[in-house]
Amino acid sequence: MTADSFPSPLLAPASVRATAPVRPAGLPDRLDRGSPHRLGAHWDGLGVNIAVFSAHAERIELCLFDAEGRHEIARFDLPECTDEVWHGYLPGAGPGLVYGLRAHGAFDPAAGHRFNPNKLLLDPYARQLRGELRWSDALSGAQPRNERTPDRRDSAPFVPKCVVTHDDYPWGDDRPPAVPWERTVIYEAHLRGMTMRHPAVSAAQRGSFAALGHPAVIEHLLRLGITAVELLPVQAILHDRALFERGLVNYWGYQPLGFFAPEPRYLSAPEARDEIRGAIRRLHQAGIEVVLDVVYNHTGESDETGPTLCWRGLDNASYYRLAPDDRRRYVNDSGTGNTLNLAHPRVLQMVMDSLRHWVTSYHVDGFRFDLGSILGREDNGFDDGAGFFDAIRQDPVLGRVKLIAEPWHLGPDGYHLGRFPPGFAEWNDRYRDTVRRFWGGDPLARPELAARLTGSAELFDRRRRRPWASVNFLAAHDGFTLHDLAAYEHKHNQANGEGNRDGHDHNHSRNWGVEGETDDAAINATRAAVRRAMLVTLFASAGTPMLLAGDELGRTQKGNNNAYCQDNAVSWIDWARAEEAEWKRLRSFVARCIAARARLAPLRPARFLHGAAEPWPGLADTAWFDAAGKPKTPEDWSRPGLMLTLRRVWSEAGTTQATLLLLNGESESRRFVLPEPPLAWVRILDSATPEAPEEPVADDVIEVAPHAAVLLACTLGAAAR
């Protein structure tokens, strides 16, 4: 199709369109009928088909804008409605068309309807946005002092506009790395925070997908041994008005403005969506997968006092779960004001179409579902056979990617760790809290630590699930960094402007004598020892390890455990600090831990271990001993001062490997007697001497330093048959 095929520069592809804000002379008087069968705006080579779901609208208009999205220049009724999908076809239009929607219908909040044609609406399927949302009272669907009366102000000047796109990209021989779950090591990162201060990345590219694909960034991931980058939300984000008025932004991005369009701030050039594809292609070439943190439990439209931007104005009663006793109000299981109604087939379809879009158009390798238990809610509560789970598990595109759930939400009956269906991994907060408690000096954590080290079988060993279903982590975006876990006992969130009331109060952290940074060498040595011991524990545990970006470099948020609105040095990785000798040594130690995990099969078992006999005589797949090398009795677990050791064996490539993990969470060193039978153990890691090379163990007694973890391994030769 050539530029001459278009009735005006507005409708031309981006590469040839002009910017004059004039009404195209060649536009038809009305739209053709079009088709209802592909929702959104799609170019077929000859024109653009528009299809929008609304079960309760009486009329929907397509509004066209000039190239910059500043002036509305034409308006058409979508001429047909088939099966509750409004549709029309604009011949001659193509990529670069700038548009929005207006929906007519009842404004009756008591019945759940909030139609207001004065509000320009985003297409829920828009794949690209132009312009920024500017906060104004005109965004409200109702009058400020009378929620039963629609607001008459036009919101168009204040909202982004949708842009018709195409998805052609020269992917070449790109293919997913398809890293097996048991070999997966996740790196949870914020796209901006990871690269905003990276010295090798140009200033123009920092904080963008272009930076993510930079060779220096990829090299850092490869040196660590990372196999998957899990990015905080990169779909279009709404920045809350309350944050805007405090001079802050929604940095983490858990307020969706669109489910198909990327966040414009994450592109180094306006609308350069292909740099997302380029970054993912380069990561794939390095063998690294890309997992997106996605938010399908709510939208940024907030509660009934929030703005009318998209779903609320198109069909509030269908898109949202409304309070059954008062349909003016929203069910607020998400804690953000509203909850999407995935029980509605068209809402579920939107979520599934969005997920497939990111896999097929951008080649992402998986998803982490924010507040995932909401997605499994049916009328009778959480159900591991909910429609969302059934739909995603049978889908030929989505059934092959990695799926990770955050298994809780804020509403009633919201905690469901271990209850997700096969195919899903789950963030294991009980692992996080137990490891923190143990290394913080809590002796009561010992029995539970045993379960966490072996994959939390009591939670996940059901329906033939595997140990990888437990995503183990020490720190995540929400909470203290690893550095701060050993430096702060209290949150310090004053910079968020909420009087330090936000964020968790119970972090299982310990400052070891001084709150915050200190020059005390002894305290700093203890803190460093605890962090290294926690890292050894993480990578020696059955399950899927997840490392928070920057924890390998000593990243600190100065005690802020809820930096959701801090798009600044509080949240960004300080790469200059990372070059200091102390943190370079930590980075090398993390890489050693990950490399040991990759090499030693017992650390990443493919099935749950329950103490069963293995082919090698005298060894069970899991066994626990006290510091004297004797099997632990039930009474031993409650005795203060006893240490934990773990032995596992596993056959791989015709040989049998065994590992022995020795943990000393006390402030005094502890002597461990190695258990029977005697084996040719090699010391792989000692968190107390992180730079010590691997070496054979010469004696049957090992002294483990305070706050230290030691990992031993041996290869026993061919397995007995």
Side-chain angles (χ1 to χ4, degrees):
M1 198 170 192
T2 67
D4 293 336
S5 304
F6 292 86
S8 81
L10 166 68
L11 302 179
S15 59
V16 297
R17 67 173 182 263
T19 59
V22 296
R23 176 183 172 85
L27 282 176
D29 293 331
R30 63 189 304 274
L31 301 180
D32 293 344
R33 293 182 57 190
S35 169
H37 295 304
R38 192 179 181 194
L39 293 172
H42 297 280
W43 179 48
D44 65 3
L46 299 175
V48 171
N49 190 83
I50 309 285
V52 181
F53 160 72
S54 180
H56 299 100
E58 299 169 1
R59 175 183 161 209
I60 291 184
E61 295 176 298
L62 171 67
C63 305
L64 303 185
F65 287 80
D66 66 3
E68 288 76 25
R70 295 175 181 170
H71 303 288
E72 184 176 335
I73 58 175
R75 194 179 295 194
F76 301 94
D77 281 355
L78 294 181
E80 296 287 339
C81 184
T82 304
D83 295 333
E84 300 179 335
V85 175
W86 297 80
H87 53 95
Y89 184 85
L90 182 59
L97 178 70
V98 182
Y99 72 101
L101 303 168
R102 297 181 189 270
H104 297 254
F107 189 87
D108 185 0
H113 302 311
R114 295 179 177 271
F115 294 101
N116 186 341
N118 298 289
K119 309 305 165 184
L120 188 77
L121 307 175
L122 297 175
D123 178 358
Y125 278 68
R127 299 187 175 201
Q128 182 172 300
L129 301 182
R130 182 164 298 163
E132 297 182 352
L133 184 141
R134 295 188 297 139
W135 280 104
S136 166
D137 291 342
L139 298 175
S140 175
Q143 291 186 2
R145 296 178 178 82
N146 186 355
E147 65 175 280
R148 299 182 181 182
T149 304
D151 184 275
R152 305 294 183 185
R153 290 170 289 188
D154 186 4
S155 67
F158 308 102
V159 297
K161 311 306 184 295
C162 309
V163 183
V164 175
T165 68
H166 65 82
D167 290 331
D168 294 336
Y169 179 77
W171 282 104
D173 61 353
D174 179 75
R175 61 187 60 189
V179 179
W181 262 113
E182 59 267 22
R183 288 189 172 271
T184 296
V185 178
I186 298 173
Y187 189 79
E188 193 206 23
H190 189 285
L191 187 71
R192 277 177 65 81
M194 186 178 179
T195 62
M196 281 298 291
R197 304 177 75 177
H198 200 298
V201 178
S202 69
Q205 291 187 334
R206 290 176 183 172
S208 71
F209 272 97
L212 178 66
H214 192 282
V217 175
I218 293 176
E219 176 61 22
H220 177 75
L221 298 172
L222 289 175
R223 286 174 60 188
L224 288 175
I226 298 300
T227 72
V229 176
E230 181 180 304
L231 298 175
L232 268 67
V234 299
Q235 296 172 343
I237 298 165
L238 182 143
H239 298 283
D240 312 61
R241 186 167 190 169
L243 292 176
F244 173 78
E245 292 173 348
R246 298 203 301 268
L248 301 169
V249 297
N250 194 317
Y251 172 68
W252 286 349
Y254 291 96
Q255 284 285 48
L257 186 59
F259 296 122
F260 293 77
E263 168 57 31
R265 294 194 313 149
Y266 296 162
L267 305 177
S268 64
E271 303 172 9
R273 296 184 307 137
D274 282 353
E275 76 178 35
I276 304 175
R277 300 180 174 100
I280 292 175
R281 186 175 179 185
R282 292 184 184 96
L283 287 162
H284 282 181
Q285 288 174 344
I288 299 172
E289 298 178 309
V290 177
V291 175
L292 301 186
D293 195 335
V294 288
V295 186
Y296 295 114
N297 56 81
H298 75 280
T299 80
E301 288 186 311
S302 189
D303 61 16
E304 58 275 3
T305 66
T308 295
L309 303 171
C310 178
W311 308 272
R312 173 175 288 142
L314 284 172
D315 194 347
N316 185 68
S318 294
Y319 277 108
Y320 291 114
R321 292 175 57 207
L322 304 180
D325 57 342
D326 184 357
R327 293 179 65 79
R328 296 174 300 167
R329 313 300 178 208
Y330 295 83
V331 173
N332 186 24
D333 287 344
S334 68
T336 62
N338 64 60
T339 306
L340 278 172
N341 180 21
L342 265 68
H344 193 291
R346 289 296 188 183
V347 182
L348 178 60
Q349 178 189 356
M350 177 187 69
V351 171
M352 300 300 293
D353 287 347
S354 170
L355 292 169
R356 280 189 293 266
H357 170 67
W358 287 95
V359 174
T360 58
S361 183
Y362 292 102
H363 287 201
V364 303
D365 303 283
F367 303 95
R368 180 265 190 188
F369 296 95
D370 174 64
L371 303 184
S373 55
I374 289 179
L375 307 180
R377 287 194 71 87
E378 299 285 344
D379 290 341
N380 59 343
F382 180 84
D383 184 350
D384 65 2
F388 169 74
F389 296 140
D390 291 345
I392 201 168
R393 292 174 62 208
Q394 63 78 42
D395 189 280
V397 173
L398 303 176
R400 62 177 174 81
V401 303
K402 286 184 166 66
L403 305 171
I404 304 170
E406 183 181 39
W408 52 77
H409 66 266
L410 300 179
D413 187 31
Y415 189 79
H416 297 283
L417 177 64
R419 291 191 57 196
F420 279 68
F424 279 81
E426 303 175 38
W427 274 25
N428 189 344
D429 63 323
R430 289 182 62 179
Y431 179 94
R432 174 198 66 196
D433 293 346
T434 303
V435 173
R436 290 182 182 186
R437 287 172 54 212
F438 176 82
W439 289 111
D442 181 357
L444 299 180
R446 282 193 294 271
E448 186 168 357
L449 182 64
R452 305 299 149 245
L453 288 170
T454 51
S456 299
E458 85 283 12
L459 298 170
F460 295 103
D461 191 5
R462 47 182 288 273
R463 299 185 66 183
R464 302 291 181 177
R465 299 177 78 183
R466 299 298 182 97
W468 55 255
S470 174
V471 176
N472 302 329
F473 60 103
L474 307 171
H477 68 274
D478 185 3
F480 283 142
T481 65
L482 177 62
H483 176 278
D484 291 358
L485 278 173
Y488 296 89
E489 292 185 6
H490 308 285
K491 63 186 181 182
H492 298 268
N493 300 350
Q494 288 82 1
N496 296 351
E498 300 179 37
N500 205 35
R501 294 182 299 273
D502 60 306
H504 296 292
D505 292 315
H506 304 289
N507 298 281
H508 304 293
S509 60
R510 184 170 176 181
N511 64 26
W512 300 99
V514 174
E515 184 75 357
E517 302 300 317
T518 180
D519 294 327
D520 188 304
I523 291 176
N524 284 331
T526 298
R527 290 174 173 179
V530 169
R531 294 178 191 121
R532 292 193 301 268
M534 293 176 75
L535 288 164
V536 172
T537 306
L538 174 66
F539 292 108
S541 298
T544 301
M546 184 180 79
L547 183 71
L548 175 62
D551 276 356
E552 77 281 13
L553 304 171
R555 184 174 77 86
T556 176
Q557 293 178 171
K558 305 298 184 184
N560 191 322
N561 75 348
N562 189 36
Y564 76 102
C565 54
Q566 299 296 327
D567 188 7
N568 50 49
V570 171
S571 298
W572 301 341
I573 292 178
D574 183 352
W575 290 92
R577 171 185 167 96
E579 290 304 308
E580 297 174 7
E582 176 183 2
W583 308 119
K584 291 177 73 172
R585 289 193 295 269
L586 180 62
R587 176 176 59 194
S588 296
F589 184 68
V590 171
R592 284 190 63 189
C593 292
I594 295 175
R597 181 184 183 85
R599 193 169 86 244
L600 299 172
L603 303 184
R604 42 180 176 79
R607 59 180 175 81
F608 287 100
L609 308 175
H610 295 290
E614 282 290 323
W616 198 267
L619 294 179
D621 63 10
T622 305
W624 293 91
F625 304 89
D626 61 19
K630 304 300 181 182
K632 292 182 77 69
T633 66
E635 294 77 18
D636 290 336
W637 293 104
S638 61
R639 291 179 187 166
L642 286 177
M643 304 301 110
L644 308 180
T645 63
L646 170 67
R647 178 170 57 181
R648 285 176 268 185
V649 296
W650 193 252
S651 298
E652 188 173 84
T655 64
T656 297
Q657 292 178 324
T659 60
L660 187 64
L661 182 63
L662 302 91
L663 307 178
N664 180 13
E666 296 188 350
S667 298
E668 304 292 335
S669 63
R670 172 71 59 172
R671 292 167 61 86
F672 284 78
V673 178
L674 300 183
E676 297 290 335
L679 299 172
W681 294 108
V682 174
R683 191 191 308 259
I684 304 298
L685 296 168
D686 185 341
S687 63
T689 55
E691 298 178 65
E694 296 183 7
E695 59 182 3
V697 176
D699 198 354
D700 62 353
V701 178
I702 292 181
E703 185 162 333
V704 179
H707 314 294
V710 174
L711 177 66
L712 309 180
C714 66
T715 300
L716 303 174
R721 299 296 179 189

